[in-house]
Amino acid sequence: MLKRAIVAICTVAVMSVSAAPAFADAPFGPTAQVTDRVGALSPNQLKSVQAAIASLYAKDRVKLFVTYVKDFSGTSPGSWADQSATQAGMGARDVLLGVATQARQYAVSTDTSFSLSTKQLDDVGATAIEPALRESDWAGAAIGAANGYAAALAGQPIPAPTITPGTAPAGAKSGSGAGGVIAVIVILAILALIAYFFMSRRRKSPGRPGASQAPPALTLKELEAKAGHLLVTTDDSIKTSEQELGFASAQFGDDAIEPFTKAMDSAKSELAAAFKLRQLLDDDIPEDDATKRKMLEELCTHCETANKLLDEQAAAFDKLRDLEANAPQIIEQIGASAQQQQSRLAAARATLAQLSTQYAPSAAAPVAQNADEAATRLEFLKSSLAQAQQAVASGDNSRAAVLAQAAQLADDQATQLLDGIDRRAGELSQASAALGAALSAVDANVAEAAASGQQGLREPAVQAQLVATQVRTAMAGGPVDPLEVLRALEESSSRLDQALSGAREAQVRQQRAAAALEQSVLTARSSIAAASDFITTNRGGVGSTARTRVAEAHRHLQRALALAPTDAESALAEAQQADSMATQAYQEAQQDVSGFAGAGSMFGGGGGGGGMGGMAGAVLGGILINSILGGAGGGSRGGSGRMAPPAAGSYGGASTRGRHSVGGKF
């Protein structure tokens, strides 16, 4: 029996000489700048590669990671590289070069805000990397990449690599000739016998550690990084896709976009579930590592499902919009809209000036920069339209489509920014009108507490009376921020309400809560709108925490509205929580954008989008297109021909966050 088994195994070994199977290399996050899983580099070659990588970092502060594997485990090269980079938590100045020596494929993954355009990355690949790869000069490819990126960043011609054919170590290439074949057969036969022996032992010990060939799991830190990245890119994808749906609805009607709307609703539900998990992980209740891992994995699954739902509709949506055919019409429409937006911009500045005299400075603070931000979007819009018209005239419909789409997105963000100013003016007017009733409610609560004679009500009553007195003094002394004042009155009155609740009948408590609920909903909606607008129009610089908090604020507000008819007390608590979470979201987003601008973008950048210019405002707004950056048209190798780089999951838009890849076979 054993003899027959040996013969069979040896026969299989002989038949497999020309194509011996290799274990697949699933995406993984490299920790070293050179990871060689196939013995591609000799010790001297490794030193040369490391020297080239160090030189690139010293010149340009770009950190190049090079990974050699046998194949990409059936995943597309670009996806494999992007997933690996994401798992490693790579940043804006990190570049991953993945080389599959046996599959003869490679990919380069960069952050979508990286300084080089898709065309420039392709040029480096074609000139400095692929010639070495075709000759199996694995070290030469890595050195060529480092030198090529340095040249491209300096605006210099990309140098060809110095190729040394056949220099790969034996472990990286298959043997040749009759002697090599015989040697391989013998080795494989011996390995087969060893494998047979251990397989037999494993059958007797199925639970033996190491029996599984599954790829190693991500560390908890890597999983955290992956989850944060997925939350940001998925949220960006949905925001951009919502804009695209709005354009399509205006052009074709709601019936035409019904399948895409359903997919969007499902994707938003998945994202909401992901944000809820992130909020639970961030709350004050700690989870053990096993629970945290399970929740993070579930979060990632929700995001991946959301992206898949949108990806499944992407081709049909692109066919519906047919941007290349409709580019001239879109250009005409956006041109007319741009003129209207200029008129709105002047009116918005006048509104801001009026708010500054009518109210305290903090009242209009959330929208104080909106007019300047809108101006940067319109500046970008005009530039995009001018180039789009030139592209149409020259017959380059693909480039015209990309530019027209960018102009649409800029126009939409300008509208949102200007709408925010009008909305804030309305909210402040409503809050001003509600102040009298809020003060009366505090007075009534204080009087009720005094009449009860209960000692436990004394302190909250005194505090509420103090706040009311301070508000009246401030109002008498000059302009105030009515939303801020209303919030202070609500908080003090709410604390006293809670203290009084034990002495009140349930019906009275509900009546009191119902009276306060309208004001709480007003402040919550105002806070959520301010945070949401800021995140959407600055999403290129906003991370996952602010997005999580505003999503949670939305959830609490919806809960408040649902409870209002039957349980005003609970609804009031939900509305107050919504206001608190939205305030946190706004503060987090401001810090993110401040850090984004403070770090210095590729365009210079100062403090906030308003001072960064049209191009940098487009970066911050998440609408920058790669063709503007580097002149890459729709036909560039590895490019998408649409807004570049395309965001996973979006119908037709893109985000400046996430990873982007080029590469292919060699």
Side-chain angles (χ1 to χ4, degrees):
M1 182 71 179
L2 179 58
K3 183 178 180 180
R4 286 199 299 272
I6 293 172
V7 171
I9 293 169
C10 290
T11 301
V12 171
V14 172
M15 293 173 65
S16 305
V17 169
S18 60
F23 289 112
D25 287 287
F28 67 96
T31 55
Q33 283 192 258
V34 180
T35 303
D36 185 0
R37 289 189 167 185
V38 294
L41 305 178
S42 68
N44 287 336
Q45 289 172 333
L46 175 60
K47 290 179 181 179
S48 298
V49 170
Q50 290 172 333
I53 289 174
S55 176
L56 173 64
Y57 184 78
K59 291 178 182 176
D60 301 291
R61 288 298 183 267
V62 171
K63 188 176 287 187
L64 175 62
F65 291 78
V66 184
T67 301
Y68 299 98
V69 294
K70 287 185 177 180
D71 60 43
F72 292 137
S73 68
T75 307
S76 69
S79 177
W80 188 95
D82 286 344
Q83 289 182 51
S84 295
T86 298
Q87 290 181 23
M90 292 189 182
R93 305 289 290 178
D94 296 336
V95 178
L96 173 64
L97 167 62
V99 179
T101 58
Q102 183 170 292
R104 311 293 291 181
Q105 293 176 315
Y106 85 103
V108 174
S109 175
T110 64
D111 190 272
T112 51
S113 64
F114 190 56
S115 304
L116 298 181
S117 69
T118 300
K119 184 177 185 301
Q120 289 172 306
L121 291 169
D122 276 335
D123 288 345
V124 172
T127 305
I129 300 175
E130 291 180 19
L133 291 177
R134 283 193 287 269
E135 297 297 330
S136 299
D137 184 359
W138 314 127
I143 295 169
N147 294 338
Y149 295 137
L153 289 166
Q156 299 171 352
I158 298 168
T162 302
I163 300 173
T164 309
T167 56
K173 300 169 92 173
S174 300
S176 59
V181 170
I182 293 171
V184 171
I185 292 173
V186 172
I187 292 170
L188 286 174
I190 293 171
L191 291 175
L193 285 170
I194 295 172
Y196 175 78
F197 173 75
F198 280 108
M199 287 293 288
S200 299
R201 289 180 63 86
R202 277 184 185 165
R203 289 192 190 99
K204 297 176 184 178
S205 306
R208 185 180 179 88
S212 173
Q213 293 296 334
L218 298 180
T219 65
L220 202 55
K221 183 178 180 181
E222 290 170 341
L223 194 56
E224 284 269 11
K226 178 182 178 181
H229 168 78
L230 278 173
L231 277 174
V232 170
T233 55
T234 306
D235 190 42
D236 279 350
S237 295
I238 286 177
K239 282 181 168 60
T240 302
S241 294
E242 282 189 297
Q243 288 180 294
E244 292 286 328
L245 277 177
F247 304 149
S249 176
Q251 188 173 359
F252 304 108
D254 291 340
D255 290 343
I257 66 167
E258 184 177 359
F260 312 115
T261 302
K262 288 180 178 178
M264 172 63 72
D265 290 342
S266 297
K268 289 170 73 173
S269 295
E270 293 289 343
L271 180 61
F275 276 130
K276 177 60 179 173
L277 286 166
R278 183 66 264 177
Q279 180 62 36
L280 289 172
L281 287 164
D282 292 344
D283 64 20
D284 295 332
I285 303 173
E287 291 84 15
D288 57 49
D289 285 353
T291 302
K292 186 179 291 186
R293 175 177 291 278
K294 183 178 180 181
M295 293 172 70
L296 287 170
E297 288 173 345
E298 187 178 345
L299 185 159
C300 292
T301 298
H302 281 303
C303 289
E304 288 162 353
T305 301
N307 280 320
K308 182 180 179 183
L309 287 165
L310 297 184
D311 284 338
E312 288 172 348
Q313 300 293 334
F317 188 79
D318 287 346
K319 184 177 180 180
L320 172 68
R321 288 208 71 195
D322 195 3
L323 287 172
E324 291 193 19
N326 294 319
Q329 177 187 354
I330 293 172
I331 290 169
E332 183 178 352
Q333 292 171 346
I334 298 301
S337 178
Q339 294 179 355
Q340 296 174 356
Q341 297 283 37
Q342 287 294 343
S343 299
R344 285 200 66 193
L345 182 60
R349 293 192 187 281
T351 299
L352 285 173
Q354 181 182 352
L355 295 179
S356 69
T357 59
Q358 189 174 356
Y359 303 110
S362 62
V367 297
Q369 299 301 318
N370 278 28
D372 290 340
E373 290 277 4
T376 68
R377 302 307 190 271
L378 293 176
E379 180 184 341
F380 179 78
L381 184 157
K382 292 177 183 177
S383 174
S384 298
L385 278 185
Q387 295 180 64
Q389 289 165 342
Q390 293 174 359
V392 169
S394 64
D396 190 348
N397 291 338
S398 177
R399 179 171 171 78
V402 172
L403 291 158
Q405 188 184 36
Q408 273 190 315
L409 292 169
D411 182 61
D412 192 66
Q413 284 198 9
T415 298
Q416 186 173 0
L417 288 160
L418 297 176
D419 286 349
I421 295 173
D422 293 338
R423 185 196 64 247
R424 189 70 175 185
E427 292 166 350
L428 291 169
S429 178
Q430 282 183 271
S432 293
L435 285 178
L439 283 166
S440 297
V442 172
D443 292 342
N445 281 346
V446 170
E448 183 181 349
S452 72
Q454 295 183 24
Q455 188 66 25
L457 297 176
R458 179 178 174 77
E459 183 178 347
V462 169
Q463 290 297 322
Q465 183 64 66
L466 178 61
V467 171
T469 301
Q470 290 173 339
V471 166
R472 287 189 168 99
T473 301
M475 292 173 66
V480 298
D481 178 347
L483 282 166
E484 183 178 314
V485 168
L486 188 62
R487 184 178 290 111
L489 289 170
E490 287 170 4
E491 290 174 354
S492 65
S493 184
S494 178
R495 284 193 292 270
L496 184 51
D497 270 332
Q498 290 173 7
L500 286 164
S501 63
R504 286 173 174 167
E505 296 291 338
Q507 184 178 3
V508 174
R509 292 200 304 270
Q510 289 292 333
Q511 289 173 348
R512 295 281 188 175
L517 182 58
E518 183 177 352
Q519 297 164 9
S520 292
V521 168
L522 170 62
T523 54
R525 278 180 166 154
S526 176
S527 297
I528 290 172
S532 297
D533 281 359
F534 187 84
I535 290 171
T536 298
T537 56
N538 294 275
R539 63 180 180 261
V542 177
S544 62
T545 301
R547 298 167 192 252
T548 300
R549 300 296 178 269
V550 80
E552 188 69 359
H554 273 292
R555 189 182 70 81
H556 281 292
L557 179 58
Q558 292 305 310
R559 179 72 175 155
L561 296 175
L563 288 170
T566 58
D567 187 354
E569 276 191 292
S570 297
L572 179 61
E574 291 286 347
Q576 290 169 342
Q577 183 67 6
D579 183 47
S580 174
M581 298 301 294
T583 301
Q584 291 179 39
Y586 186 73
Q587 292 170 349
E588 287 281 351
Q590 282 186 311
Q591 291 175 9
D592 285 347
V593 171
S594 177
F596 179 89
S601 74
M602 68 186 92
F603 300 103
M612 296 171 70
M615 192 70 72
V619 173
L620 202 53
I623 57 175
L624 182 67
I625 54 175
N626 207 53
S627 58
I628 297 293
L629 274 174
S636 69
R637 296 170 61 256
S640 65
R642 300 186 297 169
M643 176 166 286
S650 66
Y651 286 146
S655 163
T656 57
R657 303 291 291 261
R659 306 296 298 183
H660 175 53
S661 59
V662 297
K665 289 184 173 293
F666 57 84

